[in-house]
């Protein structure tokens, strides 16, 4: 059957560094089959999936359950393992068993995984630095927010959305600052998840200037939504970190343009409709699906002239491919790259509808939003997984675990001389403490 592509654009399939496909443990929210179908429909050919399932992906047994569930995947995938106090001693074991990378939850969120102690984070980074393995960090110090939230709850403030949303970015600044300090000190590669606040961008700028190997993602919701939308939609828009005030939207966009933020991820975080619409917003689960809507939303912004198609490709495919060691393999244009392709129609206009989503969640703040620019076909390793806007059902299970083909050069501790026991050995001729002449 003939396929024509006149007037269409051929893009590398999007690589989404941040999705939650929920299986094992929460298959009523999402399964690998439904989550990866959403990816295929959204022009996404590779996802990196998060460890806050049940059991959490912090043991080899739990990883095996996830790998089994992922056999139904329509898209290629990497699996982030859990970095926490209980897992820090078996990171290499988890890598051998097939995780591609790690996530540390430095802040409370769905699954109630305890934040690693600072010491465990340091040890984890020490282990991973020489291996060149990158750690995703959920960087919002929720203990800073705890008292304030408790007071709002105790006061019965079920109308506290604005307070929740406008929660101080100091919690993000503190956590990002801490993580970047440890990353610089150990030479570990890090990745800041769901960067939401304008106020913490200066830390990324400074760390990059100093040569820290940090990458960072933001999500369409932080670029395009704010508390004005939240006050209308309520618990549906509860999210960690929160949707913030409108003043954050433009600086985040500018940070993408200037490379402070590297990429777009979705934080596809589906919950069942009844878990998002409980009477008290305090009881609503945080997060919503996004892997299927990212491409139309962002192509709409390209159509509006806010970025070029090349900017978009950099954010959706090139930067994540580089961050996860897949550059030149995952359809990112280079000789020998996989045919992981999204063919997009920049002229097609429509309205996003949550009922049509592949995700089990079917509850989205994007419902009813007009868009222009859609993926029409998605090919994974040369094979259609979505064709003419329809899922190719036979492609179920075509997804494979990614292996970083391009071996990452080992990152080096930047502060070797201060960091190792060498600090105790004063090189000959160098006084341990320089005492300026004439001063006592
Ligand atoms: C995520 C989830 O539901 O798993 N929720 C969210 O609000 N972002 C958790 C996370 O990304 O930390
Ligand atoms: Zn997170
Ligand atoms: Zn997430």
């Amino acid at each position: 059957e003939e396929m024509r592509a006149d007037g269409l654009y051929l893009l590398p399939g999007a690589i989404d560094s941040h999705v939650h496909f929920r299986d094992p443990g929460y298959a009523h929210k999402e399964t690998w089959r439904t989550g990866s179908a959403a990816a295929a429909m959204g022009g996404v050919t590779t996802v990196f999936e998060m460890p806050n399932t049940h059991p959490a992906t912090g043991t080899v047994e739990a990883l095996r359950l996830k790998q089994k569930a992922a056999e139904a995947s329509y898209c290629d995938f990497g699996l982030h393992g859990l970095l926490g106090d209980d897992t820090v001693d078996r990171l290499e074991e988890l890598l051998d068993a097939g995780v591609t990378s790690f996530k540390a939850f430095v802040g409370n969120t769905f699954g109630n995984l305890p934040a690693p102690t600072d010491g465990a984070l340091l040890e984890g980074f020490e282990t991973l630095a020489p291996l060149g393995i990158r750690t995703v960090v959920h960087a919002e110090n929720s203990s800073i927010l705890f008292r304030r939230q408790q007071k709002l709850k105790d006061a019965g403030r079920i109308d506290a959305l604005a307070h929740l949303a406008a929660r101080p970015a100091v919690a993000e600044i503190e956590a990002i600052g801490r993580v970047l300090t440890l990353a610089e000190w150990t030479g570990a590669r890090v990745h800041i998840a769901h960067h939401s606040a304008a106020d913490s961008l200066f830390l990324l700028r400074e760390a990059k200037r100093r040569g820290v190997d940090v990458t960072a993602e933001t999500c369409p919701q932080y670029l395009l939504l704010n508390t004005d939308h939240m006050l209308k939609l309520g618990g549906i828009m509860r999210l960690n970190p929160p949707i913030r005030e409108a003043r954050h939207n433009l600086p985040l966009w500018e940070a993408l343009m200037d490379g402070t933020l590297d990429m777009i991820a979705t934080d596809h975080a589906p919950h069942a409709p009844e878990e998002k619409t409980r009477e008290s917003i305090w009881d609503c689960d945080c997060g919503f699906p996004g892997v299927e809507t990212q491409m139309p939303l962002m192509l709409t912004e390209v159509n509006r002239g806010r970025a070029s198609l090349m900017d978009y490709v950099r954010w959706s495919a090139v930067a994540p491919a580089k961050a996860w060691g897949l550059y030149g393999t995952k359809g990112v244009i280079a000789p020998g790259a996989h045919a992981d392709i999204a063919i997009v129609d920049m002229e097609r206009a429509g309205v996003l509808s949550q009922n049509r989503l592949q995700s089990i969640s079917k509850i989205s703040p994007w419902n009813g939003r007009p868009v222009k620019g859609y993926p029409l076909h998605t090919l994974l390793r040369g094979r259609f997984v979505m064709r003419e806007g329809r899922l190719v059902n036979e492609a179920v299970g075509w997804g494979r675990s990614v292996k970083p083909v391009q071996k990452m050069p080992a990152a080096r501790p930047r502060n070797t001389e201060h960091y190792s026991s060498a600090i105790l050995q004063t090189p000959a001729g160098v006084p341990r403490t320089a005492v300026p002449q004439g001063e006592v």
Side-chain angles (χ1 to χ4, degrees), residues 18 103 105 138 194:
H18 191 149
K103 180 170 183 183
F105 289 86
H138 176 117
H194 38 48

Side-chain angles (χ1 to χ4, degrees), residues 59 67 102 114 137 219 269 399:
T59 63
Q67 286 165 329
F102 291 92
V137 188
C219 313

